[in-house]
Amino acid sequence: RKRQRYVEKDGKCNVQHGNVRETYRYLTDIFTTLVDLKWRFSLLIFILAYALTWLFFGLIWWVIAYSRGDLEHLGDHSWTPCVNNLNGFVSAFLFSIETETTIGYGHRVITDTCPEGIVLLLLQAILGSMVNAFMVGCMFVKISQPNKRAETLVFSSHAVVSLRDDRLCLMFRVGDLRDSHIVEASIRAKLIQSKQTQEGEFIPLDQTDLSVGFETGDDRLFLVSPLIISHEIDERSPFWDVSRGQLERDDFEIVVILEGMVEATGMTCQARSSYLADEVLWG
């Protein structure tokens, strides 16, 4: 049977969260929740945030005009309205948009005889700035995420176990397709395998570190040309007691993680891939 992957070849984690009861925790970190949403939902929330704000304040401007009797003195030049040339809900809605976006066409203007309108103007200006900062910040962070940069970091489709300098090593290759470099690049490898402890506890997805040069500094990469990453199979390696036949029968997954800063933006980038047991070739 084909084993289900823990991490896909393109780096996506094949894990679904279920039975999450404390969903309010997502709302306590609403900024990250909005950034993590899919693009169609982010754009919908972006549009609704502005549209509902304009409608809400437009309704209040209309209520002020209606309660003061401005709508009953539309043709009376001796009457000083709260907002000049506001003759209904549509014009109140347009005035709300002009106020919050600071467009200022000059046709609808608030007068100084309306203290409640002045307070509302201040409130809408402050709240509008907060909405702008929050929504534009979300969209900027979402656009500038370095996820797409990871797609130009490629891993070999297979890993191999073979001799290198008379030592048995597990090796795979990584390369960068772009001319701009990954600064402070580092590589890690994890062995994902079921495990049973000496006390009888079963751990379905146990993670074990595979040394790829942490002690010697070889895990720090100068990724200008494709590099071969090597894990020496010695006494400390989890593959020390594994034979070729057992390797073909075992059910495990090797997850490799490449991290570094994007030279162009200075943002941290992470690329992931994995190798199943049948993707590790002997010799």
Side-chain angles (χ1 to χ4, degrees):
R1 64 181 180 86
K2 184 174 178 59
R3 184 180 184 274
Q4 197 172 21
R5 309 187 78 99
Y6 188 64
V7 176
E8 300 290 343
K9 294 294 282 186
D10 60 0
K12 294 180 181 177
C13 295
N14 195 18
V15 176
Q16 268 191 329
H17 294 279
N19 197 26
V20 180
R21 298 175 182 176
E22 298 180 354
T23 53
Y24 68 91
R25 293 181 180 271
Y26 294 109
L27 298 178
T28 57
D29 187 15
I30 187 66
F31 187 86
T32 306
T33 300
L34 291 177
V35 171
D36 288 341
L37 286 177
K38 294 182 178 179
W39 266 108
R40 55 180 176 269
F41 298 120
S42 295
L43 291 175
L44 178 63
I45 292 175
F46 185 84
I47 294 171
L48 287 177
Y50 284 102
L52 293 178
T53 305
W54 295 336
L55 283 171
F56 173 73
F57 283 102
L59 179 62
I60 297 180
W61 284 115
W62 179 82
V63 169
I64 291 176
Y66 180 81
S67 61
R68 294 180 80 256
D70 294 345
L71 302 180
E72 300 173 1
H73 300 81
L74 293 178
D76 188 358
H77 296 286
S78 63
W79 178 267
T80 304
C82 182
V83 179
N84 290 328
N85 301 309
L86 194 152
N87 51 25
F89 178 74
V90 175
S91 59
F93 176 67
L94 292 175
F95 179 70
S96 175
I97 296 176
E98 295 167 15
T99 301
E100 190 165 327
T101 58
T102 64
I103 292 177
Y105 289 119
H107 184 62
R108 280 172 287 271
V109 182
I110 189 172
T111 61
D112 56 0
T113 60
C114 182
E116 59 270 31
I118 296 174
V119 173
L120 181 60
L121 178 67
L122 294 173
L123 182 62
Q124 185 172 4
I126 295 172
L127 185 61
S129 298
M130 294 173 63
V131 171
N132 280 333
F134 189 82
M135 297 310 301
V136 173
C138 285
M139 297 304 291
F140 175 77
V141 172
K142 193 169 183 65
I143 291 172
S144 60
Q145 281 182 319
N147 296 343
K148 297 300 181 182
R149 180 64 176 91
E151 294 184 3
T152 53
L153 296 169
V154 292
F155 296 87
S156 56
S157 57
H158 290 79
V160 297
V161 175
S162 63
L163 289 175
R164 197 182 206 194
D165 294 330
D166 206 27
R167 297 187 185 93
L168 200 62
C169 298
L170 170 71
M171 294 176 285
F172 58 92
R173 177 174 281 186
V174 60
D176 188 3
L177 301 180
R178 287 191 179 273
D179 292 332
S180 59
H181 302 154
I182 297 294
V183 183
E184 293 292 329
S186 62
I187 191 80
R188 290 183 290 136
K190 293 277 188 180
L191 175 65
I192 311 295
Q193 192 176 30
S194 299
K195 174 185 176 181
Q196 188 162 8
T197 65
Q198 296 178 3
E199 293 78 20
E201 179 188 2
F202 179 74
I203 304 175
L205 293 172
D206 183 61
Q207 298 186 12
T208 304
D209 270 320
L210 296 179
S211 175
V212 288
F214 177 77
E215 298 87 354
T216 60
D218 290 338
D219 63 324
R220 316 293 291 185
L221 308 180
F222 181 49
L223 197 59
V224 178
S225 60
L227 299 175
I228 296 177
I229 310 302
S230 176
H231 162 68
E232 184 179 340
I233 301 178
D234 55 13
E235 294 86 349
R236 297 174 298 173
S237 172
F239 294 110
W240 176 247
D241 296 324
V242 178
S243 64
R244 178 177 183 176
Q246 187 178 353
L247 180 69
E248 296 172 350
R249 297 190 305 268
D250 272 356
D251 192 12
F252 65 85
E253 183 173 350
I254 300 171
V255 177
V256 292
I257 305 166
L258 174 65
E259 291 179 330
M261 288 191 301
V262 182
E263 187 179 38
T265 62
M267 300 186 72
T268 303
C269 171
Q270 185 182 92
R272 298 179 294 266
S273 188
S274 70
Y275 302 98
L276 296 179
D278 57 358
E279 293 170 345
V280 179
L281 307 180
W282 191 278

